[in-house]
Amino acid sequence: MTIEVQGVRRAFGDVLAVDSISLTAAPGEVTALIGPNGSGKTTLLLMLATLLVPDQGAIRIDGLDPVTQPTEVRARIGWMPDGFGTWDALTVREVLHTVAAAYRIPPDRARARTQELLATVHLEDLGDRRARVLSRGQKQRLGLARALINDPSVLLLDEPASGLDPRSRIELRDVLRALAAQGKTVLVSSHILTELQEVADRAVIVARGRSLQTQRLDDDFVSTGTASWRIDSLDLSRLTDWLADHHVPARRVGGGLTEVEVSGEENAARLLADVVRDGIRVTTFAPSQGALETAYLAATEDRR
Amino acid sequence: MSWDGMMTVATLELRQRVRTSKWPIVLAVWVAIIALVAFLSYWATNDADLRSGESMYDIVIFFVLGLAMLIVPSLTATSVNGDREHGVLATLQTTLLTHWDIVMGKLVAAWVISMTFLVTAMPFMAWAWFEGGVRGDKIALSVVVLMLVLAVVCALGLMFSTLTARPIASAVLTYLTMGALVFGTTIGFALSAFLVTGEEKIQVFGIPDNWYETHQPPAVDPADPTLTPEQIDQLNKAGQPTPADCTTFTRTVTLAHTERIWWMLPLNPFVVVADAAPSEPRKRGDQYSSGFTPLRWISLGARSARNGPSAQATDECAMLTNTGDTGFTDPSENALKTAPVWPYGLAFLLVAGSGAAVVAGRRLRTPIRRLPNGTRIA
């Protein structure tokens, strides 16, 4: 159930939405697609969701070509679009029943599956309410349930966390991890990097329609990647001098905080120990950016 | 395409339609208007000479078609691009439904709703039938033709909703098409009539046009008391042609060859419905008193246009040899006895409707290769 994308390109008239994106998403993993607005993430997902033909390049989902075998691919994927629209006049339960019928799921199984998914996305008490009354976050959760109705082995999620409250985000994270644990391939595009770092196994950074790099997000990456740390100290001037003496790249940020760039947790721990040993009273020592965030900012820096 | 898939889409469409509150109101207004029209036509034509059954039937059918052509396009004209705007089309396209399931499901749903309009008009047609003068099989035929015409209107609206990105544009295009079919064909026929009108020489067997000039009666006063009855008789005959005076000659006349342009008329849905079931002309004594029957007028107009001016040499002498008017028949009533024109029109509309459905189906096919300007996918 691997997703393979090889040198895909797609233009809309004069606008080149996707220039050249290549990626691989493996089963049992959550792959994150990150990039600035307009970098071609949604267009790529539309091509994966069998809605759009790439101008160039090849896509294989479980070895199947979405262009020539759309029906076979559709049976295997679940797609959650960005800004999920829904049939406002229908109740939440009817929306899911309709989609189940569209997947040719028999009515009794559709009912059972709907009940199960409403529990998964915590919409049971809203099951008989019109979809119109749902808030944006609740609609997103309904969109997730819709994408899962046919028990897909490949899940394509476009900005699933937008509009979700903190609890829903944590629950979404758990749902995605559970799906990956079942051996499904999960491809999720998002802006919320700190969340992704916790849920994704791999991140593909795209900018201007090109895939820039693929980053594994395992413990190794976290412990060795360059990250920013924020230090608050009661002896601010002494800390600044100390950092200058020891050639640690540092800059002052708001609120009397100092930010330093350190590669790897090992080095960060050593820095803290050295600072404290030299009698500087440190009150806060915390990562300001995740390693993913730093990697993302570095990769997309030329945008400015 | 599958039955289940089509029904899934049709059920979804109908459910949404029924739950939005404006449709019951439209239906109520519809029934009120048709009822008003039926009552008014009943009172207006309720006398012995203008039998109300025929007139009522004609007027009710006329209004049902006219109002349906105003309402039905709105059922489908924003169907697909409206769904696109709400972001709900792509969520169906990524399921196992095919593009034909979606198109046919939407078409069936719109058609079912337009049928409810037709069904609510049925009691008034039944009333016309009870009033008499209209045959049941004619009513059945015109209802079937109406159903097919409305299906075509639905299909045209659906096609335009797949062709334009904005719902307002497709609605305008659909109404323009309706206008072209109803008014365009009539205006086109009228304007092109002068192209087929010209002076022509025709063979006539009858009294030459100059007969009266060459046969001036003698300048004698018939009231002269000195004349004998034989002389008076001769005098009277001298001014009147006899069958013996008939010859074959050529006359230049102005003729409109509407048989070359008649095909524009049956493209009009009103002509199709009218011609499918014109009410029977009713003879009352020696005179036709058909009352106010617009459908029959449309029908005989279309058929006369198709027949065109008579190609045979006209025999004007027959009027002299026959006594009385037994040989004379109303040409328009003769036209009603000739072959109908509605099968051509209905065939055209059905071809146009099927073509529209095919275009709509193709436009919903995914994955999309070329995306029209301004169209969003999801």
Side-chain angles (χ1 to χ4, degrees):
Chain A
M1 299 299 169
T2 314
I3 303 174
E4 281 170 277
V5 177
Q6 202 40 253
V8 158
R9 178 190 175 93
R10 172 77 210 199
F12 299 104
D14 306 335
V15 184
L16 189 60
V18 171
D19 187 359
S20 170
I21 291 185
S22 301
L23 64 87
T24 307
E29 283 189 352
V30 176
T31 307
L33 194 59
I34 59 179
N37 297 331
S39 58
K41 302 188 298 292
T42 295
T43 308
L44 176 67
L45 285 173
L46 288 176
M47 289 190 275
L48 290 171
T50 75
L51 290 171
L52 205 57
V53 178
D55 294 337
Q56 272 175 30
I59 296 174
R60 290 290 177 277
I61 292 172
D62 194 18
L64 298 164
D65 185 352
V67 178
T68 54
Q69 298 154 294
T71 314
E72 290 84 347
V73 171
R74 281 168 193 166
R76 287 166 171 76
I77 61 168
W79 172 63
M80 178 179 166
D82 184 12
F84 172 69
T86 189
W87 305 292
D88 284 343
L90 268 58
T91 68
V92 169
R93 198 166 263 120
E94 283 169 340
V95 168
L96 293 178
H97 286 168
T98 302
V99 178
Y103 276 110
R104 312 217 190 296
I105 299 172
D108 48 336
R109 246 185 63 210
R111 271 191 293 277
R113 182 82 183 137
T114 300
Q115 205 52 45
E116 202 181 307
L117 286 173
L118 286 179
T120 310
V121 299
H122 302 283
L123 285 175
E124 298 121 306
D125 8 327
L126 294 169
D128 295 313
R129 300 285 286 277
R130 296 277 170 91
R132 185 201 313 274
V133 305
L134 297 187
S135 71
R136 179 164 157 73
Q138 289 164 337
K139 270 190 184 155
Q140 287 290 98
R141 272 142 63 187
L142 176 58
L144 180 64
R146 192 207 73 90
L148 289 172
I149 196 112
N150 60 331
D151 195 17
S153 48
V154 172
L155 207 56
L156 309 166
L157 307 172
D158 201 355
E159 301 286 348
S162 72
L164 292 187
D165 56 48
R167 172 175 287 279
S168 301
R169 278 188 191 171
I170 292 164
E171 283 163 359
L172 172 71
R173 207 173 65 195
D174 296 343
V175 169
L176 294 188
R177 285 289 5 148
L179 290 167
Q182 290 168 30
K184 297 180 192 303
T185 312
V186 182
L187 182 64
V188 47
S189 92
S190 185
H191 291 304
I192 304 159
L193 300 171
T194 43
E195 304 257 326
L196 282 179
Q197 193 170 341
E198 288 167 43
V199 71
D201 299 294
R202 205 189 275 272
V204 178
I205 301 173
V206 294
R208 292 183 186 169
R210 295 177 154 272
S211 44
L212 299 175
Q213 67 178 88
T214 302
Q215 183 69 62
R216 285 210 60 86
L217 300 178
D218 47 19
D219 294 344
D220 265 8
F221 170 66
V222 175
S223 55
T224 59
T226 301
S228 298
W229 296 76
R230 287 194 172 175
I231 310 170
D232 197 0
S233 167
L234 296 177
D235 310 312
L236 191 56
S237 53
R238 278 184 61 206
L239 175 67
T240 313
D241 295 344
W242 190 94
L243 290 170
D245 289 348
H246 291 81
H247 305 291
V248 178
R251 62 191 181 92
R252 293 285 290 273
V253 292
L257 294 167
T258 306
E259 200 168 87
V260 293
E261 297 275 321
V262 183
S263 62
E265 288 176 332
E266 194 75 27
N267 289 332
R270 196 174 304 147
L271 175 70
L272 177 61
D274 289 353
V275 169
V276 172
R277 190 200 55 215
D278 288 351
I280 299 165
R281 292 170 298 169
V282 173
T283 53
T284 307
F285 189 86
S288 72
Q289 284 177 348
L292 180 59
E293 209 164 0
T294 313
Y296 169 82
L297 289 175
T300 59
E301 200 163 27
D302 64 324
R303 194 164 65 96
R304 283 183 298 239
Chain B
M1 194 178 85
S2 71
W3 176 257
D4 284 344
M6 197 178 83
M7 288 323 282
T8 302
V9 178
T11 315
L12 170 65
E13 290 284 310
L14 285 173
R15 203 175 253 166
Q16 285 178 283
R17 204 69 87 169
V18 166
R19 297 215 182 141
T20 49
S21 55
K22 67 180 188 213
W23 284 101
I25 298 167
V26 174
L27 205 61
V29 171
W30 159 272
V31 172
I33 291 176
I34 299 291
L36 190 70
V37 166
F39 273 104
L40 286 178
S41 62
Y42 174 76
W43 289 116
T45 63
N46 188 18
D47 76 56
D49 289 333
L50 303 161
R51 236 162 96 181
S52 48
E54 296 157 3
S55 301
M56 263 185 79
Y57 172 72
D58 271 24
I59 295 167
V60 168
I61 283 275
F62 209 88
F63 261 85
V64 167
L65 179 59
L67 285 181
M69 299 260 296
L70 285 178
I71 295 170
V72 170
S74 69
L75 295 173
T76 54
T78 60
S79 182
V80 170
N81 47 19
D83 273 9
R84 278 210 172 102
E85 282 211 332
H86 288 112
V88 291
L89 184 69
T91 49
L92 279 185
Q93 287 177 312
T94 52
T95 64
L96 296 181
L97 295 174
T98 66
H99 47 291
W100 295 117
D101 288 333
I102 298 173
V103 163
M104 292 314 289
K106 281 179 178 290
L107 198 55
V108 165
W111 191 63
V112 165
I113 294 170
S114 63
M115 285 307 100
T116 61
F117 285 96
L118 204 52
V119 166
T120 49
M122 286 295 202
F124 304 102
M125 293 189 210
W127 182 10
W129 183 69
F130 280 123
E131 286 296 321
V134 200
R135 275 162 44 195
D137 58 333
K138 293 270 188 185
I139 295 187
L141 179 61
S142 55
V143 168
V144 169
V145 171
L146 259 178
M147 285 164 70
L148 293 175
V149 167
L150 293 185
V152 170
V153 174
C154 291
L156 288 173
L158 193 63
M159 176 184 75
F160 285 119
S161 79
T162 64
L163 289 180
T164 67
R166 293 164 61 82
I168 191 85
S170 54
V172 167
L173 281 173
T174 310
Y175 280 106
L176 277 180
T177 308
M178 295 299 112
L181 283 178
V182 175
F183 302 108
T185 54
T186 317
I187 294 169
F189 178 81
L191 288 183
S192 54
F194 89 97
L195 292 176
V196 295
T197 304
E199 301 225 314
E200 266 176 63
K201 289 184 165 45
I202 56 160
Q203 294 283 314
V204 179
F205 178 70
I207 310 297
D209 293 334
N210 59 355
W211 190 89
Y212 291 93
E213 288 163 36
T214 53
H215 293 76
Q216 290 291 336
V220 182
D221 185 7
D224 194 338
T226 59
L227 293 173
T228 61
E230 289 79 20
Q231 281 173 313
I232 291 175
D233 197 33
Q234 261 183 337
L235 262 181
N236 282 343
K237 277 189 177 155
Q240 292 295 323
T242 61
D245 294 312
C246 290
T247 54
T248 302
F249 63 96
T250 318
R251 183 192 286 159
T252 306
V253 292
T254 305
L255 286 182
H257 283 281
T258 51
E259 77 273 17
R260 292 175 198 158
I261 53 168
W262 70 278
W263 50 266
M264 281 187 231
L265 292 176
L267 309 187
N268 187 332
F270 278 92
V271 174
V272 174
V273 172
D275 194 52
S279 48
E280 295 283 314
R282 199 162 62 91
K283 221 169 180 183
R284 185 182 163 78
D286 278 345
Q287 289 187 326
Y288 291 99
S289 69
S290 43
F292 182 76
T293 50
L295 292 194
R296 199 162 63 85
W297 299 338
I298 292 175
S299 172
L300 69 85
R303 289 186 193 185
S304 310
R306 192 264 325 270
N307 296 343
S310 173
Q312 293 161 343
T314 37
D315 184 2
E316 292 177 348
C317 226
M319 283 163 79
L320 289 173
T321 48
N322 290 325
T323 51
D325 63 346
T326 45
F328 177 75
T329 45
D330 184 347
S332 58
E333 299 304 334
N334 285 343
L336 276 181
K337 293 194 183 78
T338 55
V341 298
W342 66 270
Y344 302 100
L346 188 62
F348 164 78
L349 289 177
L350 289 179
V351 167
S354 328
V358 168
V359 169
R362 285 176 178 275
R363 296 282 297 192
L364 285 190
R365 190 157 56 185
T366 45
I368 304 170
R369 207 166 284 277
R370 218 185 64 76
L371 196 67
N373 269 350
T375 313
R376 49 174 291 190
I377 304 168

